[in-house]
Amino acid sequence: MQSFLDPAILFFVFGILAGSLKSNLEIPPPISRFLSLYLLMALGLKGGFSLAQSGLTADVLISLAAALAMATLVPVLGYLTLRRFLNRFDAAAIAATYGSVSAVTFITAVQYLDNHGISFGGHMAAAMALMESPAIVLAVVLANHARRTTTLSNEPVSAVSNAPLGRILHEALTDGAQLLLLGAMLIGVLTGESGQAAMKPFSVDLFKGMLAFFLLDMGLLAARNMGKLRGQSVWLLVYAIAGPLVHASIALALGSVVGMSAGNMALLMVLAASASYIAVPAVIRHAIPEANPSLYFGMSLGLTFPFNILIGIPLYVQVAQLWR
């Protein structure tokens, strides 16, 4: 209950309510874009300042390796599961969406840990960046394979050009938001304590209010995308909730094996359980045009994102603490 009394979470709930009532309340897209970039920049700086203090330790490297392992395992498991009741293109697109990560979910989790005085490593922001692209690459490879081995609309799939993996990889690795996160982290590492003191009014004092404003926008978007799932298979709805729980459980087991702290393990669980609704859908829409956007976008933003924000984050943190 305490998490629901957080102002940022309450603004998210308010956004869902306003969107469900079909209110004309909206955040202009340029402002929404600015808010997302601000949050990523502030998160990158915070991670960089933390890394400047701790250095590149064995714990940091182990955490990054665990993140990469989850970024590979989750989309593979997702594709094998979804392939049982979906065509290859939809299965690959959804697997990519759930194999990648949601930066806003991660940022909300970081704020939750800060509010509850739970320590974590700033390098987990780098883990988030590392986990964004592997699922996209895997999905494109699977879709290209599907085009060579099946037919589409009664025509040879070979008539449909394969998505060029090099171009998709370039788009995934040079995404502006991801570059901003990594660039801000590098600046934080280089400037250290002096940079932290100079940027505190920007990256710390404003952070909570900016997050609340952005979560209001996310609540509006989530409410308006829930309708896209009407009439879809019940198994998709189950996967949108059960999938993240399974992925978080795997991350919990992996984090425990490699000896991660409770805070870092909770963030790894959040990353594994989250689903991208910005970067991956934007790439997949062009790379796998055969897939239905209402499925992977509606599932990630309409169900998984609200579940993680309202229930998942407090659950993952509590379980990680109890486990450790």
Side-chain angles (χ1 to χ4, degrees):
M1 175 59 72
Q2 186 178 1
S3 64
F4 283 95
L5 297 180
D6 183 278
I9 301 301
L10 287 176
F11 269 106
F12 178 73
V13 174
F14 173 69
I16 291 180
L17 177 62
S20 300
L21 294 175
K22 302 189 184 305
S23 167
N24 63 355
L25 174 63
E26 67 175 348
I27 308 300
I31 294 179
S32 179
R33 177 64 174 169
F34 165 76
L35 290 172
S36 67
L37 292 177
Y38 164 81
L39 292 172
L40 287 170
M41 181 176 175
L43 178 66
L45 285 171
K46 183 174 182 177
F49 296 144
S50 176
L51 272 176
Q53 293 177 352
S54 67
L56 194 62
T57 64
D59 288 340
V60 171
L61 295 176
I62 289 173
S63 296
L64 296 181
L68 278 176
M70 291 303 304
T72 304
L73 182 60
V74 169
V76 170
L77 291 177
Y79 180 78
L80 293 176
T81 301
L82 293 162
R83 188 66 189 89
R84 296 175 180 271
F85 50 90
L86 288 174
N87 64 62
R88 295 185 183 186
F89 300 110
D90 283 332
I94 296 175
T97 302
Y98 280 80
S100 189
V101 295
S102 163
V104 180
T105 306
F106 179 80
I107 291 170
T108 306
V110 166
Q111 186 65 41
Y112 183 92
L113 292 177
D114 280 337
N115 290 344
H116 289 79
I118 302 172
S119 62
F120 59 91
H123 63 276
M124 292 305 294
M128 181 188 73
L130 286 175
M131 291 180 71
E132 189 164 17
S133 300
I136 300 175
V137 176
L138 179 61
V140 172
V141 171
L142 291 171
N144 286 345
H145 177 71
R147 294 187 185 104
R148 291 193 297 267
T149 58
T150 63
T151 59
L152 182 64
S153 301
N154 297 322
E155 303 225 359
V157 174
S158 58
V160 180
S161 59
N162 285 341
L165 184 58
R167 179 173 63 82
I168 298 302
L169 184 60
H170 178 269
E171 290 180 8
L173 296 178
T174 60
D175 176 71
Q178 184 169 330
L179 279 180
L180 176 61
L181 173 70
L182 295 175
M185 184 174 295
L186 177 60
I187 291 170
V189 170
L190 294 176
T191 58
E193 290 186 7
S194 62
Q196 186 174 14
M199 296 300 292
K200 183 178 182 295
F202 174 81
S203 61
V204 177
D205 297 343
L206 292 177
F207 189 87
K208 185 75 171 183
M210 292 289 198
L211 177 60
F213 201 10
F214 190 64
L215 284 179
L216 168 63
D217 185 39
M218 290 296 98
L220 291 167
L221 285 176
R224 291 163 183 168
N225 279 276
M226 289 177 184
K228 292 183 178 181
L229 297 176
R230 191 173 293 113
Q232 300 296 341
S233 168
V234 67
W235 291 112
L236 288 177
L237 308 184
V238 170
Y239 182 85
I241 302 299
L245 292 174
V246 172
H247 302 157
S249 299
I250 297 173
L252 175 67
L254 178 60
S256 178
V257 168
V258 300
M260 295 176 71
S261 68
N264 289 344
M265 192 156 58
L267 289 179
L268 183 65
M269 294 171 70
V270 168
L271 288 170
S274 67
S276 175
Y277 55 84
I278 298 177
V280 172
V283 175
I284 291 298
R285 180 167 298 195
H286 300 290
I288 313 179
E290 303 91 340
N292 182 358
S294 65
L295 293 182
Y296 54 83
F297 191 73
M299 289 171 63
S300 62
L301 186 55
L303 280 180
T304 303
F305 180 71
F307 171 78
N308 278 329
I309 294 295
L310 299 176
I311 300 173
I313 291 174
L315 175 63
Y316 307 143
V317 172
Q318 184 176 9
V319 170
Q321 288 184 296
L322 291 175
W323 195 270
R324 295 304 298 171

